[in-house]
């Protein structure tokens, strides 16, 4: 069992991707007007890519175009003080190719927010790290 | 009812602070070696300040010293597709004054992670924003 400097168990790449697949919501971390910004989004995995939907004119679409972003998902149990978190860092790109957008439209990814959201952002999982806190 | 450009309800400052007070875990967003970074932490509110505990030599302590950071908490119900998120942006500072550290040690803030964590970071809630997604 590998522990990090904080005493948390380090998750393997495979554990990280398996846990990410269980999370309905993640948080995309980017820079907005030189300030740190974070926004929860629902998402789906496409292989190891993270796929989210937004509107073409959104702040998120503008801020993540050709940017390096972080994406985090987690689940915690406050009673047992256990849980896990996984963070991905990688390049975000807007999907401009209609054929790719059509393929992504077939993924099980329905926006929670109202309105039409047919703009796709794909984050490549270039760095993946995760930790587990086991309580006690 | 005020909606944002994405159709989500905009929470008032008071609603944001009340919701933050209910969250056991938040996520601190900072920059680590020029890359976006995010780390879940348990926290407590001290007035409108966010207080977290870490170890003095941690990456978090180094990266947030005199930095502007974001801090996010949320709660979502995947079944009903409802939930809220609140984001604070402000200056983070390390607590170097022993009297202040002693006062903060009296707050109900017990680290989940193992080990001694007697280094306090305080984030001033200079910008507070929140959204609610009501489903349907």
């Amino acid at each position: 069992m590998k522990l990090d400097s904080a005493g948390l168990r380090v998750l393997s790449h495979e554990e990280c991707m398996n846990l990410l697949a269980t999370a309905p919501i993640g948080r995309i971390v980017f820079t907005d007007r030189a300030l740190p910004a974070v926004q929860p989004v629902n998402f789906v995995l496409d292989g190891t890519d993270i796929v989210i939907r937004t509107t073409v004119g959104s702040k998120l679409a503008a801020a993540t175009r050709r940017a390096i972003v972080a994406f985090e998902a987690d689940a915690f149990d406050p009673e047992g003080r256990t849980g896990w978190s996984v963070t991905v860092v990688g390049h975000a790109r807007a999907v401009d190719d209609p054929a790719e957008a059509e393929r992504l439209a077939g993924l099980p990814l329905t926006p929670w927010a109202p309105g039409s959201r047919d703009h796709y952002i794909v984050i490549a999982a270039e760095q993946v790290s995760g930790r587990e806190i086991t309580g006690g």
Side-chain angles (χ1 to χ4, degrees), chain A:
Chain A
M1 188 164 100
K2 187 178 167 190
L3 299 179
D4 72 2
S5 62
L8 307 185
R9 188 170 81 84
V10 177
L11 299 173
S12 71
H13 186 276
E14 185 182 358
E15 287 175 309
C16 288
M17 297 312 294
N18 288 344
L19 286 166
L20 269 186
T22 69
I25 285 276
R27 297 149 200 98
I28 186 164
V29 171
F30 56 102
T31 301
D32 180 34
R33 290 167 292 183
L35 288 177
V38 50
Q39 185 175 315
V41 287
N42 66 319
F43 73 102
V44 72
L45 285 179
D46 178 34
T48 61
D49 284 349
I50 288 153
V51 180
I52 67 176
R53 285 172 73 158
T54 183
T55 50
V56 68
S58 67
K59 186 168 75 175
L60 193 60
T64 58
R65 188 171 278 264
R66 281 183 292 272
I68 294 177
V69 304
F71 185 83
E72 189 263 1
D74 60 41
F76 292 99
D77 168 21
E79 299 299 317
R81 300 195 157 199
T82 59
W84 60 267
S85 72
V86 170
T87 301
V88 164
V89 177
H91 283 80
R93 66 182 174 85
V95 173
D96 294 322
D97 173 23
E100 185 180 12
E102 191 177 327
R103 187 180 70 77
L104 296 179
L107 295 174
L109 177 62
T110 311
W112 291 22
S116 165
R117 288 164 187 275
D118 47 11
H119 180 71
Y120 289 90
I121 298 172
V122 174
I123 303 168
E126 289 153 15
Q127 293 180 21
V128 179
S129 61
R131 298 290 184 270
E132 183 184 41
I133 182 163
T134 50

